[in-house]
Amino acid sequence: MEISNLFFIIISAIFINNFVLVRFLGLCPYIGVSKKLDSALGMGMAVIFVMTMASVFTWLINHFFLSPETGIFGYDLTFLRTIAFILSIAVLVQFVEMVIRKSAPELYKALGIYLPLITTNCAVLGVSILNITENYNFIEAIVNGISSGLGFTLVLLLMAGIRERLERAEVPKALQGMPIAFIVAGCMALAFLGFSGLKF
Amino acid sequence: MITSALIVLGGLGIIFGIGLAIASRIFHVDVDPKIEKIEECLPGANCGACGYAGCSQYAESIVKDNEEIDLCAPGGDEVIAKIAKIMGKKAGKKEPQIALIKCQSGGNDNTKFKYKNKGIKSCQAAMELDGGHNVCEYGCLGFNDCVDACHFYAIEVDENNMRYVDPEKCTGCGNCVEACPKDLIELIPISKKVNILCMSHDKGGVAKKSCGNETACIGCSICAKKCPVDAISMEDKLAVIDYSKCVVCGICAEACPTGAIVDKIEKRPQPIIKEDDCIGCTICAKKCPVEAIEGEVKKPHKIDEEKCIKCGICLDVCPKDAIVPKEE
């Protein structure tokens, strides 16, 4: 039961409820960082990393402070969720950036500018809030965080691959650049809609 | 409930704030102030001509890895001088580099085609159709990927679709070198005006037949034998100039039977030594690549016009300006 449940969360987060193409979260990096494959990969890795960390951290905050049943105050403080989560995600990313810069300069160079970029990304906040509204337990929340990041990376890489080829294609002048990217994104979203029929 | 909300959020804020403050002390990374200063001097174009991802990486490696300070092509001497001041190094003047397109074919009327390519007008894409539409598999495809790659509009296309590098505009950044799928473009020092404009490794007959301009290098190695300073070597049926040795005398261009070597200097004057000014320092005799200058120390020297190749090196090295072009 437990394992199959986790499997369902993974498939759901990567394909059925893909963050970018179905939930329409994190569209900014999706369009902005999908021009080249290697920078898309860097961004994807950073998102996986931050989403997982944020899932862990925000779940704990919700469990011990905000939730009426398990919180140490006993009050229903769920209305503080958004602001508390944003605060903790920002702090978390800052902290992680410092640690990485000191302990693993190579990794810091690879993730580079992407780490601070996604500090306030709505996809990261989204995964934290979804963990709570879906009533996931701690393990489920972590799995959901990782696989949401994987889903994001998958779509970002697909998009980057397509856009690298679009560079060479003869696109009508009016559609060159961003417009054709938006059309491609729309087509991809339609394709991912096909996954929504999956049942287990 | 309000108090607990205050406690939770305020508490979290205070804890996080203090935590970050402590962490920033613990995990503090010292950044050399020199790096920041150098970064300010660099043009900030992140063009990659230095071989690093961007200006800040280059600045970092100047300070940390003792990298050469003269790699910034767009910045030129001005930036080198500034960096030299920061680093306390001496600014050697670096000869600027320029892109050289090593193919004389590629126009509309001087290319032989295998097939008509009506596809995407991009050399990169054309490469994927059986290595391009040219009979010569080394030659220029003529779809102007290099022109598009140039940030400085330095590659011009004439009415016959031939490409020329404008030496005034070219900064030697090397973007076109990367863009050319046939690897036809090379960065060379700007003063080296005698160039082999062919990249064909084909056998002589094949190379000549497939070249639409009939100026292919046929690998005869006459130039290599004639070169007075051994600057030309044969690499798999293609003559290649070592520009660190080349004295730009133009002998190879004259000797080349196909016209693959082009000499852009129109006329070389015969140098002569003014006996009154010559102090006999022997510098010119030492520098002459063909030993055409003779003379004893502290006595006026003489140039043997039979041996002289008119490379002009002696004109530059003479400390007294006693060597001048012969007036005709």
Side-chain angles (χ1 to χ4, degrees):
Chain A
M1 184 60 206
E2 181 77 352
I3 297 295
S4 65
N5 197 24
L6 289 182
F7 180 73
F8 178 72
I9 290 177
I10 292 172
I11 295 295
S12 165
I14 296 181
F15 296 111
I16 304 172
N17 287 321
N18 185 289
F19 255 87
V20 179
L21 294 179
V22 180
R23 292 196 200 273
F24 297 120
L25 292 172
L27 287 174
C28 172
Y30 175 61
I31 295 294
V33 202
S34 61
K35 269 196 163 167
K36 275 190 180 157
L37 263 180
D38 45 349
S39 55
L41 191 66
M43 182 72 184
M45 290 300 140
V47 169
I48 294 178
F49 187 70
V50 173
M51 273 191 174
T52 314
M53 295 296 285
S55 293
V56 174
F57 214 57
T58 52
W59 191 91
L60 290 175
I61 285 190
N62 186 70
H63 189 77
F64 288 113
F65 294 121
L66 306 182
S67 161
E69 295 98 28
T70 52
I72 49 173
F73 295 102
Y75 288 115
D76 184 8
L77 294 176
T78 45
F79 62 89
L80 288 177
R81 194 180 283 156
T82 312
I83 190 163
F85 282 8
I86 286 194
L87 177 70
S88 46
I89 291 169
V91 169
L92 176 77
V93 176
Q94 279 290 316
F95 181 72
V96 168
E97 198 189 341
M98 279 184 220
V99 175
I100 292 181
R101 191 168 185 186
K102 181 84 178 176
S103 57
E106 285 307 309
L107 187 65
Y108 178 74
K109 268 186 195 161
L111 295 181
I113 48 165
Y114 304 120
L115 262 184
L117 256 186
I118 45 178
T119 311
T120 48
N121 193 284
C122 58
V124 180
L125 181 66
V127 78
S128 314
I129 289 184
L130 278 170
N131 283 337
I132 311 304
T133 50
E134 298 278 335
N135 273 326
Y136 286 149
N137 65 30
F138 189 56
I139 303 292
E140 286 169 337
I142 297 175
V143 171
N144 189 38
I146 296 176
S147 36
S148 296
L150 279 174
F152 180 87
T153 310
L154 172 77
V155 188
L156 196 65
L157 287 180
L158 287 177
M159 184 68 173
I162 293 175
R163 283 183 75 177
E164 277 195 352
R165 289 183 173 226
L166 270 180
E167 292 276 301
R168 285 201 225 153
E170 273 191 291
V171 179
K173 200 157 197 183
L175 296 181
Q176 273 169 17
M178 273 301 154
I180 194 74
F182 283 133
I183 293 174
V184 169
C187 293
M188 286 176 75
L190 278 179
F192 266 70
L193 206 63
F195 287 117
S196 65
L198 280 180
K199 286 264 161 63
F200 289 93
Chain B
M1 185 165 147
I2 293 175
T3 39
S4 53
L6 276 174
I7 290 169
V8 168
L9 215 54
L12 280 178
I14 290 169
I15 292 168
F16 285 153
I18 295 172
L20 275 185
I22 295 171
S24 71
R25 278 287 166 82
I26 296 175
F27 298 106
H28 181 65
V29 180
D30 282 316
V31 179
D32 198 323
K34 279 185 197 158
I35 296 178
E36 285 169 14
K37 270 193 196 162
I38 292 177
E39 215 182 319
E40 279 170 25
C41 296
L42 291 169
N46 295 319
C47 68
C50 52
Y52 291 89
C55 294
S56 56
Q57 281 85 351
Y58 176 47
E60 201 180 314
S61 72
I62 288 177
V63 177
K64 284 190 180 162
D65 310 326
N66 229 348
E67 181 58 91
E68 297 289 325
I69 61 171
D70 54 4
L71 297 180
C72 182
D77 290 336
E78 202 180 313
V79 166
I80 297 173
K82 275 188 199 162
I83 301 175
K85 211 173 171 192
I86 297 169
M87 292 299 292
K89 276 187 189 170
K90 220 181 141 192
K93 272 229 167 176
K94 198 197 177 204
E95 189 178 1
Q97 290 199 311
I98 188 174
L100 172 73
I101 304 172
K102 294 189 282 184
C103 181
Q104 296 185 67
S105 180
N108 288 333
D109 66 353
N110 64 0
T111 314
K112 287 182 184 165
F113 298 118
K114 273 191 285 195
Y115 55 86
K116 234 181 189 174
N117 191 342
K118 292 192 170 178
I120 304 167
K121 297 259 180 251
S122 145
C123 309
Q124 196 80 43
M127 274 294 278
E128 282 168 25
L129 300 168
D130 190 24
H133 43 266
N134 286 3
V135 174
C136 173
E137 68 171 296
Y138 302 95
C140 172
L141 292 165
F143 279 164
N144 297 335
D145 276 15
C146 50
V147 179
D148 296 339
C150 183
H151 293 335
F152 305 97
Y153 307 103
I155 305 182
E156 283 168 17
V157 184
D158 71 5
E159 65 277 4
N160 190 32
N161 194 28
M162 279 291 289
R163 279 138 296 279
Y164 298 98
V165 177
D166 185 342
E168 294 280 303
K169 290 181 190 161
C170 179
T171 63
C173 71
N175 276 333
C176 52
V177 177
E178 303 222 331
C180 182
K182 293 283 191 190
D183 292 331
L184 288 174
I185 309 181
E186 186 190 351
L187 293 178
I188 59 160
I190 199 161
S191 67
K192 305 294 180 184
K193 288 190 174 165
V194 178
N195 314 114
I196 299 174
L197 297 183
C198 182
M199 285 296 279
S200 173
H201 290 286
D202 278 332
K203 275 185 194 159
V206 181
K208 203 169 182 181
K209 260 184 222 162
S210 50
C211 180
N213 205 32
E214 293 177 353
T215 51
C217 174
I218 53 174
C220 64
S221 75
I222 289 176
C223 52
K225 282 172 201 146
K226 290 259 181 173
C227 181
V229 290
D230 290 329
I232 303 182
S233 58
M234 300 304 294
E235 288 177 12
D236 186 21
K237 303 189 273 301
L238 172 70
V240 177
I241 297 182
D242 179 351
Y243 288 107
S244 61
K245 289 183 189 166
C246 176
V247 294
V248 206
C249 64
I251 288 178
C252 51
E254 258 173 58
C256 180
T258 62
I261 308 182
V262 172
D263 182 357
K264 286 184 206 127
I265 299 175
E266 282 171 9
K267 208 174 154 222
R268 291 182 173 76
Q270 169 70 52
I272 51 165
I273 299 177
K274 285 195 279 182
E275 288 194 10
D276 302 344
D277 293 343
C278 179
I279 54 166
C281 66
T282 73
I283 289 178
C284 55
K286 277 179 197 152
K287 291 279 178 180
C288 179
V290 289
E291 292 171 4
I293 304 178
E294 282 173 352
E296 287 174 34
V297 183
K298 296 198 174 166
K299 281 182 187 161
H301 284 45
K302 258 201 143 165
I303 296 176
D304 183 347
E305 296 191 9
E306 291 279 298
K307 282 188 191 168
C308 176
I309 55 171
K310 302 172 192 167
C311 63
I313 290 179
C314 49
L315 289 167
D316 295 335
V317 297
C318 181
K320 290 287 170 190
D321 292 326
I323 306 179
V324 290
K326 192 179 188 178
E327 283 165 28
E328 283 174 22

